[in-house]
Amino acid sequence: MAASLRLLGAASGLRYWSRRLRPAAGSFAAVCSRSVASKTPVGFIGLGNMGNPMAKNLMKHGYPLIIYDVFPDACKEFQDAGEQVVSSPADVAEKADRIITMLPTSINAIEAYSGANGILKKVKKGSLLIDSSTIDPAVSKELAKEVEKMGAVFMDAPVSGVGAARSGNLTFMVGGVEDEFAAAQELLGCMGSNVVYCGAVGTGQAAKICNNMLLAISMIGTAEAMNLGIRLGLDPKLLAKILNMSSGRCWSSDTYNPVPGVMDGVPSANNYQGGFGTTLMAKDLGLAQDSATSTKSPILLGSLAHQIYRMMCAKGYSKKDFSSVFQFLREEETF
């Protein structure tokens, strides 16, 4: 079964994997004072751009952590703050019966759960395992079967909310046994303002993939409209104002505008640094494409969005925020 999981993971957008960006280091022990008497440790695996602030929010809510990341440097500030760092996912499972994983791809999730030193090697019966990675729904379902054989519970709970991890305002889309939702909600509510039960295992991933496909399409549409308007002589701030009081309004136009100078505090105002990377958007669109193929669902615009973000990755945009599609369109004259 582990071999079949790896094959499944290898077919789910892994060509877009790249090393995760690391959040800036800094001391945060002072904000993590807590009363731990009534709270048992929570395992946390994966301390990248999303996992790092999510773990910190658990600490702020009083949960001691058992930490693991494939990059040891990512664990240092947690260790300095008094959290326990271990050497493998299996060691996390040995010491904690509630574990959250936040990993870049399907193959990383498979390795963390089913690998030689994976969670399933030492998981305790009755443990609650919550995977907040964005991966193929089919992989989530297979992992859930393997976890169930060990007498534990698996739930998929991918997140949405660019920039919301630090503020604790993520949206979690949860799939799994409904009777276990309250237990998952207790932890996820420390990291998010919306925790939504979607149905059986895999439905959380399904909701996330659909959301991100729509996000990519709307961002490209916003970028195209803004680019066209500017070339027709419109002031970009004026055009954005008109769009945002008209029927074309969307999150990409009114909250995360892709045009430099239109909004403050968004990646387009900072040379498209930070935010949600183009590589990750391409990966998620690959998952949407795979799911559309398996369900025979037409996603004409989703497929075009997938092609555009793949092209961006090939042309040097992979580490920039996905709103850099505006810059990409401005520079490409050959479409």
Side-chain angles (χ1 to χ4, degrees):
M1 181 61 72
S4 65
L5 277 171
R6 288 184 177 84
L7 287 171
L8 192 55
S12 59
L14 303 182
R15 51 199 175 277
Y16 305 116
W17 183 88
S18 64
R19 176 167 174 164
R20 289 166 292 163
L21 297 174
R22 291 288 148 200
S27 173
F28 62 98
V31 300
C32 295
S33 58
R34 59 181 179 234
S35 171
V36 299
S38 63
K39 296 189 175 178
T40 58
V42 174
F44 205 104
I45 298 171
L47 301 169
N49 269 359
M50 297 297 288
N52 178 290
M54 289 168 64
K56 288 177 180 177
N57 280 322
L58 283 172
M59 291 173 64
K60 290 175 186 177
H61 281 81
Y63 288 96
L65 300 180
I66 310 295
I67 293 287
Y68 172 76
D69 191 277
V70 68
F71 300 113
D73 287 349
C75 302
K76 187 177 185 305
E77 60 178 329
F78 291 91
Q79 191 168 32
D80 291 345
E83 305 305 326
Q84 186 176 355
V85 176
V86 296
S87 59
S88 72
D91 291 339
V92 175
E94 185 176 38
K95 297 176 180 293
D97 57 14
R98 292 180 295 175
I99 300 171
I100 296 169
T101 52
M102 183 50 134
L103 303 161
T105 67
S106 296
I107 200 70
N108 299 122
I110 292 167
E111 183 65 22
Y113 282 88
S114 302
N117 292 301
I119 291 169
L120 295 181
K121 294 296 181 183
K122 295 184 179 179
V123 69
K124 306 172 201 173
K125 287 186 178 181
S127 291
L128 175 62
L129 311 179
I130 303 172
D131 182 37
S132 287
S133 318
T134 298
I135 61 174
D136 191 321
V139 172
S140 291
K141 292 174 183 177
E142 290 299 322
L143 288 175
K145 292 177 184 176
E146 293 297 295
V147 169
E148 186 178 5
K149 290 176 185 177
M150 304 301 293
V153 175
F154 178 92
M155 305 189 87
D156 60 303
V159 303
S160 178
V162 179
R166 284 180 175 79
S167 62
N169 289 317
L170 290 166
T171 292
F172 287 89
M173 294 152 274
V174 185
V177 179
E178 189 169 9
D179 289 347
E180 302 292 342
F181 177 63
Q185 190 173 28
E186 176 190 337
L187 295 177
L188 301 180
C190 298
M191 302 174 285
S193 54
N194 299 295
V195 183
V196 183
Y197 181 70
C198 298
V201 168
T203 57
Q205 298 293 351
K208 171 63 184 289
I209 289 169
C210 292
N211 177 79
N212 276 23
M213 183 178 73
L214 179 58
L215 175 60
I217 293 168
S218 67
M219 180 57 76
I220 293 168
T222 299
E224 288 184 347
M226 293 295 296
N227 185 41
L228 177 60
I230 291 167
R231 293 190 179 191
L232 289 171
L234 287 166
D235 175 80
K237 286 188 176 180
L238 174 63
L239 177 55
K241 180 179 179 180
I242 292 169
L243 292 177
N244 292 334
M245 62 175 60
S246 304
S247 56
R249 179 182 182 180
C250 63
W251 185 86
S252 296
S253 68
D254 71 4
T255 303
Y256 210 77
N257 197 284
V259 180
V262 169
M263 297 182 68
D264 294 326
V266 294
S268 63
N270 187 35
N271 195 30
Y272 300 104
Q273 300 303 304
F276 184 64
T278 295
T279 297
L280 292 175
M281 179 57 84
K283 181 209 76 168
D284 289 357
L285 289 168
L287 294 174
Q289 185 70 71
D290 292 343
S291 295
T293 300
S294 66
T295 59
K296 296 181 172 59
S297 302
I299 54 165
L300 305 183
L301 295 180
S303 293
L304 288 172
H306 186 207
Q307 292 179 41
I308 289 170
Y309 278 102
R310 288 181 66 188
M311 289 172 62
M312 288 175 66
C313 289
K315 288 181 175 286
Y317 290 83
S318 60
K319 294 183 179 179
K320 292 190 174 187
D321 179 72
F322 80 106
S323 64
S324 63
V325 66
F326 173 79
Q327 185 182 57
F328 173 71
L329 293 172
R330 292 282 285 180
E331 293 177 354
E332 293 292 328
E333 303 283 350
T334 58
F335 288 110

